[in-house]
């Protein structure tokens, strides 16, 4: 294997590793076969595994996710692709009403081990219907696990955990990270869901970020280091399970908290996270908490407008600076 | 179909009818909360279809699914205990009337979002094909479901992938309170649309258990042979309103009368007598059903409520409900 791998390649590699070890893993989605996916995140799978394991579907989001559910209930481990995360709304019934509830309402009789993968987030100028960060949609639903990796190694490790999970997982692949590169992980690399990573240590402020916001947080931390502000960056990696233990431990060291979210401030995951901190970690805080999140408007098209709406390094730097001086 | 089999199907229908009557009475006594969507009148579809299936075929049903759960092995006691919120309920009292499920017999659930389960049945059939098991999947649904997107997405996907799945529409002429004919562009809401997906669409008397059994057996053979899905539209009528809240006053009296005379139990009874089965034999089957249901009511009534801690189990496969570490 090459010494670097892109995030995009890591998606296909992560799926391929699981398909090699488990014949019950099958893929379905629009254009995922010979075409390799519109983001090329399934490139090579059709060639290696053939049409009995990599299935092109019609443009039928309900049928894709509904059929994945039926297959998961009956012995398969399907990996369904919903091209853009915005389109999750077209099959929202399955994510909100069917997949996450069937185990509970049947009293534990039925398990749904599936993965719904989707390209999430903004930054590429795709406009309001192809740019949303929708992880917070899924967060409102009890019964879904939510993965959102930020590095190629995590993509592979978390894909393994997601596909092996006996629970349904919504797997958010960030469009803005697809071209980013990293070291490929060793064989059988698994990153269990619910384990955040401290990706940079620092003594003054804890920055909690997810997916595309992790590199933004790291850049902000670098800038702030020049001002002698030590920023600890926590990559949450998954929203359910949510690793509050790592966040609270970090606050024990820094006593100041900023969350960086790409989803809108209203109803964003940071609100849940800071509410747990207020509830259980209030005594750890020496300053108010700050949330840097997207504005509550549809994502505009032009770069200069999009920058107004989603978090940028400048906005994060400003938020951290204001707390460090508090 | 020989008379012994027909008698067994009759008895199963009688068992379902009496269980539905019990559900109705228990609701009036305040022992069943929420709502129920009774299937009295639809029995021949569930029983006839099930008689044509193999034990490990998959079945998916709607919120009007008591008859399907029972036709696929759920006992009246398990069902009534579920409706009465008892620990011994089919789904540990976490599902209720609209979600009866018996996974042990591959009755994979009752779904309360109209049409949602059709793609699931397609997925189960896809999985059967991938695993090479020869299993069939059947989705039972109402006429109202034929106007929802998932119906069309499911039929198309099943057809292009040539999957062993049967779509069985229980056309009882009404959605909730609206006549299906008033809001649908074609007279046969399911069967007329099937050809648009390259799928055969047949119509059958849904109150004749023998006709249903024969039609499903034929379409099942075809699907198992690799010839793909089929749609069967079974004409029927519900004896009660849509749900417990509905006195069904919108239905013309002569229509109700005509359909009550076309009762699936009477039709099967008539066939038995015609075939030379003595009246006492049929009565004995009725009485057995009555005894089973009477005992089921008592057993369910005396079962304990669920342990409150059960509210926090079964979200995840590890049995728990934790969302954070
Ligand atoms: C998506 C959705 N829309 C509306 C409803 C409310 N609803 C419940 S049953 C029903 C009528 C369904 O009629 P039909 O499919 O003919 O089935 P039947 O009740 O006659 O068995 C409606 C509109 C629902 N449960 N799901």
């Amino acid at each position: 294997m090459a010494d670097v791998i892109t995030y995009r390649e890591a998606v296909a590699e992560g799926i391929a590793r699981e398909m090699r070890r488990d014949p019950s893993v099958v893929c379905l989605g629009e254009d995922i076969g010979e075409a390799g996916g519109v983001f090329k995140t399934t490139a090579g799978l059709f060639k290696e595994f053939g049409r009995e394991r990599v299935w092109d579907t019609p443009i039928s989001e309900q049928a894709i996710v509904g059929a994945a559910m039926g297959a998961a209930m009956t012995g398969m481990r399907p990996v369904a692709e919903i091209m853009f995360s915005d389109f999750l709304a077209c099959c929202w019934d399955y994510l909100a009403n069917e997949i996450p509830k069937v185990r509970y309402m049947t009293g534990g009789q039925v398990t749904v081990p599936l993965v719904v993968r989707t390209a999430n987030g903004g930054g590429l100028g795709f406009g309001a219907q192809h740019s949303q960060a929708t992880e917070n949609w899924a967060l409102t639903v009890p019964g879904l696990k939510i993965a959102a990796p930020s590095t190629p190694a995590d993509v592979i490790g978390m894909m393994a955990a997601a596909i092996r999970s006996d629970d349904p997982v919504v797997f958010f692949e960030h469009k803005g990270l697809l071209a980013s590169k990293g070291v490929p992980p060793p064989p059988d690399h698994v990153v269990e869901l619910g384990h955040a990573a401290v990706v940079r240590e620092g003594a003054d402020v804890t920055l909690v970020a997810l997916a595309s916001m992790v590199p933004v947080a790291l850049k902000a931390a670098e800038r702030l280091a020049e001002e002698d502000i030590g920023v600890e960056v926590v990559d949450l990696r998954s929203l359910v399970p949510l690793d509050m233990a790592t966040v609270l431990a970090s606050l024990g060291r820094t006593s100041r908290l900023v969350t960086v979210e790409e989803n809108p401030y209203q109803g964003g995951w940071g609100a849940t996270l800071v509410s747990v901190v207020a509830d259980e970690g209030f005594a750890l805080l020496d300053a108010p908490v700050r949330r840097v999140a997207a504005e509550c408007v549809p994502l505009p098209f032009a770069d200069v407008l999009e920058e107004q709406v989603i978090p940028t390094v400048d906005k994060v730097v400003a938020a951290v600076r204001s707390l460090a001086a508090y | 179909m020989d008379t012994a089999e027909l008698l067994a199907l009759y008895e199963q229908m009688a068992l379902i009818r009496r269980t539905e009557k019990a559900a109705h009475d228990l609701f009036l006594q305040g022992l069943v909360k929420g709502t129920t969507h009774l299937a009295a009148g639809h029995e021949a579809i569930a029983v006839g279809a099930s008689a044509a299936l193999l034990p490990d075929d998959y079945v998916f049903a709607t919120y009007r699914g008591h008859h399907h759960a029972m036709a696929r092995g759920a006992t009246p006691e398990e069902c009534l205990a579920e409706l009465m919120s008892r620990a011994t309920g089919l789904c540990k009292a976490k599902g209720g009337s609209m979600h009866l499920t018996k996974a042990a017999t591959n009755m994979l659930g009752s779904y309360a979002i109209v049409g949602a389960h059709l793609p699931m049945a397609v997925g189960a059939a896809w999985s059967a094909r991938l695993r090479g098991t020869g299993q069939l999947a059947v989705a039972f649904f109402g006429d109202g479901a034929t106007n929802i997107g998932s119906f069309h997405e499911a039929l198309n996907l099943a057809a292009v992938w040539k999957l062993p799945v049967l779509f069985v529409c229980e056309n009882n002429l009404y959605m909730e309170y609206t006549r299906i004919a008033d809001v649908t562009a074609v007279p046969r809401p399911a069967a007329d649309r099937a050809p648009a997906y390259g799928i055969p669409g047949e119509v059958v008397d849904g109150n004749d258990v023998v006709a249903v059994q024969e039609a499903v057996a034929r379409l099942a053979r075809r699907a198992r042979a690799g010839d793909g899905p089929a749609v069967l539209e079974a004409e029927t009528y519900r004896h009660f309103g849509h749900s417990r809240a509905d006195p069904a006053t919108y239905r013309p009296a002569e229509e109700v009368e005509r359909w009550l005379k076309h009762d699936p139990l009477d039709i099967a009874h008539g066939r038995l007598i015609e075939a030379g089965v003595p009246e006492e034999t049929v009565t004995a089957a009725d009485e057995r059903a009555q005894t089973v249901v009477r005992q089921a009511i008592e057993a369910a009534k005396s079962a304990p409520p669920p342990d409150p801690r059960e509210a926090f189990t079964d979200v995840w496969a590890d049995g728990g409900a934790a969302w954070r570490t």
Side-chain angles (χ1 to χ4, degrees):
Chain A
M1 172 152 277
D3 9 312
V4 288
I5 184 171
T6 62
Y7 187 102
R8 176 195 321 280
E9 289 161 346
V11 174
E13 172 66 14
I15 300 168
R17 288 187 185 189
E18 291 309 299
M19 290 183 81
R20 284 176 205 132
R21 59 174 286 283
D22 181 353
S24 70
V25 179
V26 284
C27 297
L28 72 166
E30 296 159 23
D31 302 320
I32 68 161
E34 214 150 12
V38 294
F39 297 108
K40 297 285 175 264
T41 42
T42 53
L45 297 182
F46 186 81
K47 187 151 181 269
E48 180 174 353
F49 301 102
R51 64 178 72 246
E52 282 297 299
R53 300 208 42 208
V54 182
W55 292 66
D56 275 322
T57 65
I59 305 165
S60 300
E61 278 74 13
Q62 298 188 50
I64 293 167
V65 180
M69 179 180 174
M73 292 161 78
T74 55
M76 304 303 293
R77 286 188 180 265
V79 178
E81 176 176 310
I82 295 299
M83 196 183 279
F84 284 77
S85 64
D86 313 69
F87 311 163
L88 289 175
C90 299
C91 52
W92 189 237
D93 179 47
Y94 292 90
L95 287 141
N97 282 318
E98 314 297 340
I99 290 165
K101 290 178 181 156
V102 73
R103 184 168 217 294
Y104 189 79
M105 68 190 189
T106 63
Q109 293 181 68
V110 184
T111 292
V112 191
L114 60 73
V115 178
V116 176
R117 307 171 31 241
T118 189
N120 195 38
L124 299 183
F126 280 137
Q129 295 180 335
H130 287 72
S131 299
Q132 294 167 90
T134 66
E135 63 274 9
N136 57 321
W137 296 1
L139 186 63
T140 62
V141 181
L144 294 176
K145 293 193 168 165
I146 302 172
S150 73
T151 67
D154 277 0
V155 167
I156 291 173
M158 290 168 72
M159 189 67 78
I163 293 175
R164 294 178 200 187
S165 164
D166 288 332
D167 295 311
V169 180
V170 188
F171 198 94
F172 289 97
E173 296 155 14
H174 202 284
K175 293 196 287 289
L177 295 175
L178 289 173
S180 65
K181 296 189 174 92
V183 181
D188 211 32
H189 178 65
V190 180
V191 177
E192 289 304 338
L193 308 182
H195 293 272
V198 177
V199 291
R200 179 189 173 111
E201 292 182 356
D204 299 322
V205 178
T206 296
L207 254 182
V208 179
L210 185 77
S212 64
M213 291 297 112
V214 174
V216 170
L218 286 169
K219 272 197 203 102
E222 252 167 62
R223 289 244 298 266
L224 289 154
E226 292 161 16
E227 302 172 22
D228 275 339
I229 299 172
V231 177
E232 180 144 309
V233 179
V234 176
D235 178 352
L236 273 183
R237 305 206 280 199
S238 69
L239 293 181
V240 179
L242 183 65
D243 184 358
M244 284 308 301
T246 294
V247 174
L248 291 167
S250 177
L251 278 179
R253 294 187 286 273
T254 63
S255 75
R256 285 173 170 77
L257 173 65
V258 177
T259 62
V260 194
E261 300 161 69
E262 191 181 329
N263 52 216
Y265 186 91
Q266 282 178 309
W269 57 257
T272 297
L273 188 132
V274 302
S275 75
V276 177
V277 170
D279 201 358
E280 298 171 19
F282 190 67
L284 299 173
L285 294 173
D286 285 336
V289 294
R290 292 259 186 279
R291 290 178 57 214
V292 183
E295 301 295 335
C296 219
V297 298
L299 257 277
F301 163 66
D303 286 352
V304 51
L305 299 177
E306 205 178 43
E307 267 170 32
Q308 292 298 305
V309 174
I310 55 183
T312 58
V313 174
D314 286 345
K315 291 183 205 176
V316 176
V317 166
V320 173
R321 207 185 270 141
S322 75
L323 276 197
Y326 185 87
Chain B
M1 184 183 303
D2 64 28
T3 52
E5 189 184 351
L6 180 55
L7 185 67
L9 300 190
Y10 176 86
E11 187 167 334
Q12 228 182 349
M13 292 199 292
L15 197 69
I16 293 169
R17 176 70 57 89
R18 291 193 180 278
T19 307
E20 293 290 61
K21 172 80 168 59
H24 178 80
D25 295 347
L26 291 164
F27 192 99
L28 295 180
Q29 292 164 37
L31 290 170
V32 173
K33 67 161 202 172
T35 189
T36 54
H37 301 78
L38 300 179
H42 290 215
E43 296 90 348
I45 301 169
V47 170
S50 295
L53 301 181
L54 297 175
D56 67 346
D57 287 336
Y58 298 112
V59 162
F60 294 79
T62 72
Y63 48 85
R64 194 183 308 286
H66 298 176
H67 53 327
H68 298 297
M70 281 187 271
R72 295 303 278 173
T75 64
E77 184 182 329
E78 291 171 319
C79 295
L80 292 175
E82 182 70 21
L83 268 58
M84 290 164 69
S85 305
R86 305 300 157 133
T88 53
L90 192 55
C91 305
K92 300 200 244 172
K94 290 178 170 183
S97 165
M98 293 202 274
H99 302 295
L100 296 186
T101 299
K102 180 132 179 156
T105 62
N106 284 351
M107 193 283 165
L108 288 185
S110 308
Y111 297 85
I113 306 295
V114 167
H117 60 302
L118 274 67
M120 294 176 213
V122 172
W126 178 49
S127 148
R129 159 143 161 219
L130 289 166
R131 290 175 294 115
T133 60
Q135 288 161 290
L136 194 75
V138 183
F140 295 97
F141 55 97
D143 41 277
T146 63
N147 288 320
I148 212 158
S150 61
F151 169 84
H152 299 273
E153 294 195 11
L155 261 61
N156 182 62
L157 191 65
V160 287
W161 288 2
K162 264 200 159 187
L163 297 174
V165 55
L166 300 185
F167 301 98
V168 180
C169 177
E170 302 187 10
N171 185 351
N172 58 18
L173 309 190
Y174 292 85
M175 305 192 302
E176 279 179 346
Y177 316 129
T178 304
R179 287 185 75 87
I180 187 71
D182 293 342
V183 293
T184 306
V186 289
R188 303 285 189 189
D192 285 351
R193 267 98 167 237
Y197 299 102
I199 299 177
E202 296 192 10
V203 179
V204 70
D205 179 352
N207 286 8
D208 181 351
V209 74
V210 176
V212 173
Q213 190 276 340
E214 285 172 357
V216 173
R218 188 164 26 78
L219 298 173
R221 253 194 315 278
R222 193 182 160 277
R224 282 191 223 278
D227 293 337
V231 169
L232 182 65
E233 184 168 331
E235 297 176 310
T236 188
Y237 205 67
R238 50 172 156 75
H239 287 187
F240 294 96
H242 166 69
S243 66
R244 276 299 312 136
D246 173 26
T249 46
Y250 45 83
R251 303 192 300 191
E254 56 291 307
E255 178 186 283
V256 177
E257 202 186 328
R258 177 159 37 89
W259 277 96
L260 289 184
K261 277 202 201 115
H262 194 63
D263 183 301
L265 281 154
D266 293 345
I267 294 171
H269 189 157
R271 279 185 179 273
L272 285 165
I273 300 301
E274 212 174 287
V277 176
E279 184 70 50
E280 309 85 74
T281 307
V282 184
T283 311
D286 261 322
E287 280 166 1
R288 282 195 298 274
Q290 195 172 357
T291 307
V292 170
V293 174
R294 202 181 303 123
Q295 287 167 353
I297 296 168
E298 290 319 310
K301 274 185 182 169
S302 57
D307 183 328
R309 283 171 299 191
E310 279 289 334
F312 306 101
T313 63
D314 295 327
V315 172
W316 307 121
D318 66 7
W323 57 277
R324 48 175 285 205
T325 55

